Amino acid sequence: MSPIFHPFDQHVADNTEWDSPMFRLAQQQFLRAAEVMQLDENIRDRLLFPQRTLMVSFPCRRDDYANVETVFGYRVQHVLTMGPTKGGIRYHEDVNLGEVSALAMWMTWKCALMHLPYGGAKGGVRIDPHQLTRSELQRLTRRYTLEIISMIGPDKDIPAPDMGTDEQVMAWIMDTYSQQVGYSVPEIVTGKPVVLGGSLGRTEATGRGLVFLICEAANHIGLKMTESTAVVQGFGNVGSNAARLLIEQGTRVIAISDINGGVHNPKGLDLQAIHAHVAEHGQLAGFAGGDPIDNAQLLELECDILVPAAVQNQITAENASRLKCKLLAEGANGPTTLEADSILDEMGVFVLPDILGNAGGVTVSYFEWVQDTQNFTWTLAEINGRLQKVMVAAFERTLLRSQREKLNMRTAALIEGIERVAQAKLLRGLFP
Ligand code: NAD
């Protein structure tokens, strides 16, 4: 059978509803890996697109009552072969179907790479959550939950937090779902407050998992954590926790940023003072313990470890050659373009790719779901210990493949995930 699409066709998704720069990046990464591993063409073409896609529009009433806005929301399930689907919900003003679909595809490879029994999913609402009051955010979340309720379920598809959502949003989703079925269903979401069945250690799990990997990678390339410097883009859940845990390892964090820019201090930043400043002013800008720096300059600072932990498309063909780090540890999803990857390879930068780097979040989400479905709780020490084991094992599998097959870490990680999904598809067979 001739392939529907030629690998590396720049316009693979052009004629589909999912088309967007981020979905094209996800597809091209996948196609590059598929070609290297000589993936069966039928399976390759099947995995290029999400299995289920739901797009909704619904009204959101502002607090002044008179003002009602129509907002757009999405839920995408990429692969249903591996078990229930799993993936976060993003609130951001740029969210679109292509972005959510790319994130869902990456979730598939991530879960398979980590050996978690899930396919990939993702959801999103196209709003800026910072422009909403708490009550507006609650109404929006409850209505969005109801709009996608046919798609989610504790055995079907389990949401979690992503950019712009947090444990409070998860609590509202859990409550809305539970109201509909008539009893409490904590296992409908992960990343919820501990008192509602959330897991200890979930909030910081993505940052913690990333720092476990940074320690492994540093050891591999001969960096001493206590003598290293780090730069972190993003001061949200992932960035702030990664920075804190890097400092615990003895690493000097010399710059950090949020959406409005960052602060730089070559002597090392005082994270507690930054938290106090952000709590008072709502942003990093104006922090006295360092010099202001913009997000573009921050990425090009001389450092050992660079941690993009904010948004996608930050390291591109335009700026990749100016990076001065030895280790790029991706906390964000999709921070590096395909062209930038090739440049970083040539420069000899060791990359912890996103599907591995930020997999600590979904790993502890899996632990949370397991605890909820068993009605049994684990201690924080058990969770962090299990997380470390899972992260280190995935790192070792990826590194081994990259060395054995002479691949960069991203391609090796993708193949680790894709191979498992392809194997499962072949074993299940084709219906009907
Ligand atoms: P968050 O909303 O808690 O924080 C995002 C941070 O990025 C904020 O400091 C924000 O100011 C900053 N930011 C937003 N736009 C920016 C821009 N254009 N330039 C620079 N900074 C910008 O989000 P989060 O949960 O920390 O997620 C960050 C990234 O990590 C996302 O790519 C997300 O998909 C990924 N991720 C998160 C988790 C998780 O468990 N939260 C898990 C896996 C991956």
Coordinates of all heavy atoms in Angstrom, one line a residue, residues 90 110 161-164 202 206 233-238 258-259 295 309-311 331-333 358 361, ligand 1:
R90 N -5.4 22.7 29.5 CA -4.7 24.0 29.4 C -5.7 25.1 29.3 O -6.6 25.0 28.4 CB -3.7 23.9 28.2 CG -3.0 25.1 27.9 CD -2.0 25.0 26.8 NE -0.8 24.2 27.3 CZ 0.3 24.2 26.7 NH1 0.5 24.9 25.6 NH2 1.4 23.5 27.2
K110 N 4.8 9.8 25.6 CA 5.3 10.0 27.0 C 4.8 8.8 27.9 O 5.6 8.2 28.6 CB 4.8 11.3 27.6 CG 5.4 11.8 28.9 CD 4.8 13.1 29.3 CE 4.8 14.2 28.3 NZ 4.3 15.5 28.8
P161 N -3.9 18.8 35.6 CA -3.6 20.2 35.3 C -2.6 20.4 34.2 O -1.8 19.5 34.0 CB -3.0 20.7 36.7 CG -3.2 19.6 37.6 CD -3.4 18.4 36.9
D162 N -2.6 21.5 33.6 CA -1.5 21.9 32.6 C -1.4 23.4 32.8 O -1.9 24.0 33.8 CB -1.8 21.5 31.2 CG -0.7 21.7 30.3 OD1 0.3 20.9 30.4 OD2 -0.7 22.6 29.4
M163 N -0.8 24.1 31.8 CA -0.6 25.5 31.9 C -2.0 26.2 32.2 O -2.9 26.0 31.5 CB 0.0 26.0 30.7 CG 1.0 27.2 30.9 SD 2.1 27.4 29.6 CE 1.0 27.6 28.2
G164 N -2.0 27.1 33.2 CA -3.2 27.9 33.4 C -4.2 27.2 34.3 O -5.3 27.8 34.6
R202 N 2.2 15.4 44.2 CA 1.8 15.6 42.8 C 2.2 17.0 42.3 O 2.6 17.2 41.2 CB 0.3 15.3 42.6 CG -0.2 15.7 41.2 CD 0.5 14.9 40.0 NE 0.1 15.4 38.7 CZ 0.7 16.3 38.0 NH1 1.7 17.0 38.5 NH2 0.3 16.6 36.8
T206 N 6.4 17.2 38.5 CA 7.0 17.5 37.2 C 8.4 18.0 37.4 O 9.4 17.6 36.8 CB 6.1 18.4 36.3 OG1 4.8 17.9 36.3 CG2 6.7 18.5 34.9
Q233 N 13.4 29.1 32.5 CA 12.4 30.0 31.9 C 11.0 29.5 32.4 O 10.7 28.3 32.1 CB 12.4 29.9 30.4 CG 11.4 30.9 29.7 CD 11.2 30.7 28.2 OE1 11.1 29.5 27.8 NE2 11.3 31.7 27.5
G234 N 10.3 30.4 33.0 CA 9.0 30.0 33.6 C 9.0 29.9 35.1 O 9.9 29.3 35.6
F235 N 8.1 30.6 35.7 CA 8.1 30.5 37.2 C 6.7 30.0 37.7 O 6.1 30.5 38.6 CB 8.4 31.9 37.8 CG 8.7 31.9 39.3 CD1 9.8 31.2 39.8 CD2 7.9 32.5 40.2 CE1 10.1 31.1 41.1 CE2 8.2 32.5 41.6 CZ 9.2 31.7 42.0
G236 N 6.2 29.1 36.9 CA 4.9 28.5 37.3 C 5.2 27.2 38.1 O 6.2 27.0 38.7
N237 N 4.3 26.2 38.0 CA 4.4 25.0 38.7 C 5.8 24.3 38.4 O 6.5 24.0 39.3 CB 3.2 24.1 38.3 CG 3.3 22.7 38.9 OD1 4.4 22.1 38.9 ND2 2.3 22.2 39.6
V238 N 6.0 24.1 37.1 CA 7.2 23.3 36.7 C 8.5 24.1 37.0 O 9.4 23.6 37.7 CB 7.1 22.9 35.2 CG1 8.3 22.0 34.9 CG2 5.8 22.1 35.0
D258 N 9.2 34.9 34.1 CA 7.8 34.6 33.9 C 7.4 35.3 32.5 O 8.3 35.7 31.8 CB 6.8 35.0 35.0 CG 6.8 36.5 35.3 OD1 7.2 37.3 34.4 OD2 6.4 36.9 36.4
I259 N 6.1 35.4 32.2 CA 5.7 35.8 30.9 C 6.2 37.3 30.6 O 6.4 37.6 29.5 CB 4.2 35.7 30.8 CG1 3.7 35.9 29.3 CG2 3.4 36.6 31.7 CD1 2.3 35.5 29.0
N295 N 13.0 37.5 28.1 CA 12.9 36.0 27.9 C 13.9 35.5 26.8 O 14.5 34.5 26.9 CB 11.5 35.6 27.7 CG 10.8 35.1 28.9 OD1 11.2 34.2 29.6 ND2 9.8 35.8 29.3
A309 N 10.7 26.0 30.9 CA 9.6 25.4 31.6 C 8.4 26.4 31.5 O 7.6 26.6 32.5 CB 10.0 25.2 33.1
A310 N 8.2 26.9 30.3 CA 7.0 27.8 30.1 C 6.2 27.4 28.9 O 5.3 26.5 29.1 CB 7.5 29.3 29.9
V311 N 6.5 27.9 27.8 CA 5.7 27.6 26.6 C 6.5 27.0 25.5 O 7.7 26.9 25.5 CB 5.0 28.9 26.0 CG1 3.8 29.3 26.8 CG2 6.0 30.1 26.0
G331 N 11.3 21.1 30.5 CA 10.1 21.0 31.3 C 8.9 21.3 30.6 O 7.8 20.6 30.7
A332 N 8.9 22.3 29.7 CA 7.8 22.6 28.9 C 7.6 21.6 27.8 O 8.5 20.8 27.5 CB 8.0 24.0 28.2
N333 N 6.4 21.6 27.2 CA 6.1 20.7 26.1 C 6.4 21.5 24.8 O 6.0 22.6 24.6 CB 4.6 20.3 26.1 CG 4.3 19.2 27.0 OD1 4.9 18.1 27.0 ND2 3.4 19.4 28.0
N358 N 9.6 16.0 31.2 CA 8.4 16.5 32.1 C 7.5 15.3 32.4 O 6.4 15.6 32.9 CB 7.7 17.7 31.5 CG 7.0 17.3 30.1 OD1 6.5 16.2 30.0 ND2 6.9 18.3 29.2
G361 N 5.2 14.5 36.0 CA 3.9 14.9 36.3 C 2.9 13.8 36.0 O 2.1 13.4 36.9
Ligands
NAD1 P1 2.0 27.4 34.8 O1 0.8 28.1 34.3 O2 2.0 27.0 36.3 O3 3.3 28.4 34.6 C1 3.7 28.8 33.3 C2 4.8 29.8 33.5 O4 5.2 30.2 32.2 C3 4.4 31.1 34.2 O5 5.4 31.6 35.0 C4 4.1 32.1 33.1 O6 4.3 33.5 33.4 C5 5.2 31.7 32.1 N1 4.9 32.0 30.7 C6 3.8 32.0 30.1 N2 3.9 32.4 28.8 C7 5.2 32.7 28.6 C8 6.0 33.2 27.6 N3 5.4 33.5 26.4 N4 7.3 33.4 27.8 C9 7.9 33.1 29.0 N5 7.2 32.6 30.0 C10 5.9 32.4 29.9 O7 2.3 26.2 33.9 P2 3.1 24.8 34.2 O8 2.1 23.8 34.7 O9 4.3 25.2 35.0 O10 3.5 24.4 32.7 C11 4.6 24.9 32.1 C12 5.0 24.0 30.9 O11 5.2 22.7 31.4 C13 3.9 23.8 29.9 O12 4.5 23.7 28.6 C14 3.2 22.5 30.3 O13 2.6 21.9 29.2 C15 4.4 21.7 30.8 N6 4.0 20.6 31.7 C16 3.4 20.9 32.9 C17 3.1 19.8 33.7 C18 2.4 20.0 35.1 O14 2.4 19.0 35.8 N7 2.0 21.2 35.4 C19 3.4 18.5 33.3 C20 4.1 18.3 32.1 C21 4.4 19.4 31.3

